[in-house]
Amino acid sequence: MRITAVTCVKNEGPFLLEWIAFNRLIGVTDFLFYSNDCSDGTDRLLDALAAGGTELADLCGNVVHLPNPAEGRNYQMEALKDAAHRTVVQAADWVWIADVDEFLNIHVGDNTIPALIAACGDPAAISVHFQFFANDGIDGFEDRPVIAQFTRSHNPDIWCGETAIEVKSLTRRDFPLQYFGAHRPFFSKKQGKKKGLAWADGSGRQVPHKFLVAANPRRIRKFPAKGARDFATLNHYALRSLDSYLVKNDRGDVNRENRAFDDSYWRERNDPAWQDTSIARYLPALEAALEQIKAHGEIGTLHDEAVRRHREKCADLLKQPAYREMQAQLRAASTLPPDEEALLQELGMM
């Protein structure tokens, strides 16, 4: 079974090898990376992985690295449009579109994507719910697996007062596709046959009809998560350490001139109410795979360079008053999501 993972990256160098090694463990055979404006060596590490030869390909799969084709700021959607025409996607039996901070945690069979597909009855698509993992009060970046460091999250059935939670999707080759969305595939208007299409959630149940038949412009990408995680969960480490979150903000749009920093994204994802260590089942094999990959040629050196640049970027940012203020604000921020805290205050419970 050929399974191609497609993702977009910018300055994700310290985290690339873990994500690749983890996805190899769960059955991904091919990777299509799009990068743009990297300053930490992400692009050079990907080039080395792509050119590493047969021995490295046995460890990392077939890695294809391309510059992001976007001409504007819609990097992901432009890349996904391009991906649909690439051989590495067209030759795949299944396509998995996810980000480098997202890990598909499979609870069934041998904990691989083929086992998940079999448990779900080989549907045309499988949509798995996010579970957002909190910062756990970890300040400093550490060069060790993210999935080992962060173990607390919101209640899996409810996030920020919402029972409908976003998903990411595996798509089978014969899905009647118009285009890949970041969260779900969309039907071809010419050949799309929605009626009777098998589209499973993370428990192998048919997804809700409203989600299934959503018209393309509505871009519906979530549905209730209760009971939908028996076979798989999508662990999302959107925050990681506080150091890494500061670097992530710099990578994006963090121009704070003349306005206050909004910590709502952090607070919405920093709910530590629930502990979930189930993904630790992969750690022994993951750590062994990482050791092998880093020992190959220049890969370990390029990884270490990305780690060094990541740390240097954080240190440089903290020389700026705005980032020191941001760091202090996030350290002091409540671990209750904003809406939940507002409700408790309204009810006089805090």
Side-chain angles (χ1 to χ4, degrees):
M1 184 184 292
R2 288 191 66 178
I3 303 168
T4 295
V6 181
T7 193
C8 298
V9 291
K10 178 179 178 180
N11 291 346
E12 292 281 8
F15 310 105
L16 276 180
L17 296 185
E18 178 187 2
W19 193 77
I20 290 170
F22 181 89
N23 278 281
R24 287 288 287 156
L25 289 177
I26 64 172
V28 171
T29 57
D30 301 82
F31 296 87
L32 176 54
F33 286 91
Y34 290 92
S35 69
N36 62 282
D37 304 324
C38 295
S39 59
D40 73 343
T42 292
D43 46 359
R44 291 191 297 115
L45 178 53
L46 286 170
D47 285 340
L49 290 166
T54 303
E55 185 179 345
L56 186 58
D58 287 342
L59 296 172
C60 297
N62 171 42
V63 175
V64 178
H65 174 218
L66 298 171
N68 196 302
E71 296 180 358
R73 293 182 61 84
N74 198 359
Y75 294 106
Q76 189 174 43
M77 289 311 300
E78 289 300 312
L80 292 180
K81 287 179 183 178
D82 183 83
H85 304 288
R86 298 290 174 175
T87 300
V88 69
V89 169
Q90 292 181 338
D93 298 297
W94 286 81
V95 176
W96 171 234
I97 295 170
D99 297 332
V100 174
D101 58 3
E102 297 165 358
F103 291 75
L104 186 54
N105 183 13
I106 299 168
H107 313 308
V108 67
D110 64 356
N111 312 115
T112 64
I113 291 174
L116 172 62
I117 292 166
C120 291
D122 194 21
I126 303 171
S127 292
V128 182
H129 283 89
F130 281 125
Q131 188 167 330
F132 296 100
F133 279 74
N135 162 261
D136 282 8
I138 296 174
D139 272 10
F141 164 78
E142 294 184 34
D143 181 22
R144 65 187 185 96
V146 167
I147 66 169
Q149 296 181 62
F150 306 97
T151 63
R152 304 200 71 88
S153 76
H154 58 93
N155 182 317
D157 291 342
I158 186 168
W159 175 61
C160 293
E162 298 289 335
T163 56
I165 299 176
E166 291 184 348
V167 298
K168 288 288 180 81
S169 301
L170 280 156
T171 305
R172 201 172 66 190
R173 177 192 295 191
D174 59 351
F175 187 96
L177 185 73
Q178 175 74 11
Y179 65 90
F180 290 112
H183 293 260
R184 55 168 291 163
F186 288 90
F187 292 100
S188 167
K189 294 179 181 178
K190 294 182 179 179
Q191 59 178 335
K193 296 181 180 178
K194 304 174 187 178
K195 188 174 181 180
L197 185 85
W199 187 334
D201 68 9
S203 290
R205 308 175 307 180
Q206 181 73 359
V207 298
H209 182 72
K210 183 179 178 181
F211 176 84
L212 175 72
V213 302
N216 291 2
R218 296 182 64 187
R219 298 179 182 272
I220 289 182
R221 58 191 191 183
K222 61 184 179 179
F223 56 89
K226 187 173 179 59
R229 302 182 188 272
D230 289 353
F231 300 157
T233 295
L234 184 56
N235 288 24
H236 191 186
Y237 303 92
L239 304 183
R240 302 179 180 134
S241 68
L242 181 52
D243 282 355
S244 293
Y245 188 74
L246 297 179
V247 175
K248 178 177 180 175
N249 271 269
D250 174 73
R251 180 191 69 186
D253 182 8
V254 73
N255 181 7
R256 296 183 61 240
E257 186 176 3
N258 297 324
R259 67 181 175 88
F261 169 65
D262 183 355
D263 63 8
S264 58
Y265 183 94
W266 172 275
R267 290 187 57 197
E268 287 169 354
R269 290 157 181 80
N270 196 33
D271 181 352
W274 196 272
Q275 185 164 44
D276 184 346
T277 60
S278 59
I279 202 168
R281 65 170 73 93
Y282 296 103
L283 274 173
L286 176 64
E287 289 168 341
L290 283 171
E291 185 175 346
Q292 287 183 289
I293 293 169
K294 290 176 183 179
H296 191 283
E298 62 178 337
I299 300 303
T301 300
L302 289 170
H303 170 80
D304 290 344
E305 180 182 343
V307 166
R308 176 179 60 79
R309 292 191 178 195
H310 188 77
R311 289 182 169 134
E312 288 175 351
K313 171 58 73 173
C314 184
D316 287 343
L317 291 174
L318 288 172
K319 294 175 184 176
Q320 303 175 33
Y323 275 92
R324 290 198 298 273
E325 291 171 14
M326 183 191 300
Q327 182 191 56
Q329 183 174 337
L330 293 175
R331 277 177 178 159
S334 170
T335 56
L336 287 171
D339 290 348
E340 183 177 342
E341 184 171 78
L343 177 61
L344 290 173
Q345 289 174 343
E346 182 180 339
L347 296 174
M349 298 177 66
M350 64 175 299

